[in-house]
Amino acid sequence: MREIDELRPMTAGRLLELWRESRELAEDGLERTLLCNARVLAACCFFQGEPVYGGEMEVLADLTGRQMETLLRRLAEGGAAAASRETVNPAFDRQRFEALGGV
């Protein structure tokens, strides 16, 4: 596994776009899911400010399924430790989020 020091979350719109692109590339559900997850990681994994992967095939060649799952979970939880919530979204208001029923 290559070295990664930052996971940069993407917008929901970009995620939907990647899913739609992956849907067009593969009919099989498992293949489509792997391709989409690899595309997400290729777009979100950085080391010293530079993308770690050039595309989904590099991700698939480098990572195991378990490693992909671990990175995707960290990404869903807000990214790497190096990326604080304030860096990801400076307008994020935790108190308001919790008051609205957020997790």
Side-chain angles (χ1 to χ4, degrees):
M1 184 169 134
R2 299 178 191 181
E3 199 166 349
I4 298 167
D5 65 2
E6 182 181 10
L7 292 171
R8 295 182 187 170
M10 63 176 55
T11 65
R14 178 66 179 134
L15 184 59
L16 179 60
E17 184 180 326
L18 289 178
W19 173 251
R20 286 179 176 161
E21 291 170 4
S22 299
R23 185 180 59 196
E24 294 174 9
L25 295 175
E27 289 184 32
D28 179 75
L30 180 58
E31 182 180 356
R32 182 174 50 244
T33 299
L34 281 171
L35 285 172
C36 186
N37 288 344
R39 284 175 163 225
V40 168
L41 291 173
C44 295
C45 293
F46 289 81
F47 181 70
Q48 296 181 347
E50 297 296 322
V52 173
Y53 299 105
E56 70 268 16
M57 296 314 287
E58 285 186 27
V59 172
L60 293 171
D62 187 49
L63 300 174
T64 66
R66 178 70 65 202
Q67 289 169 326
M68 288 177 66
E69 181 181 1
T70 299
L71 287 171
L72 289 165
R73 284 183 190 275
R74 284 179 46 204
L75 185 60
E77 292 169 355
S84 69
R85 291 199 185 280
E86 292 77 24
T87 302
V88 174
N89 183 358
F92 181 77
D93 182 344
R94 174 151 302 280
Q95 289 178 329
R96 182 169 185 264
F97 177 74
E98 290 173 358
L100 292 171
V103 181

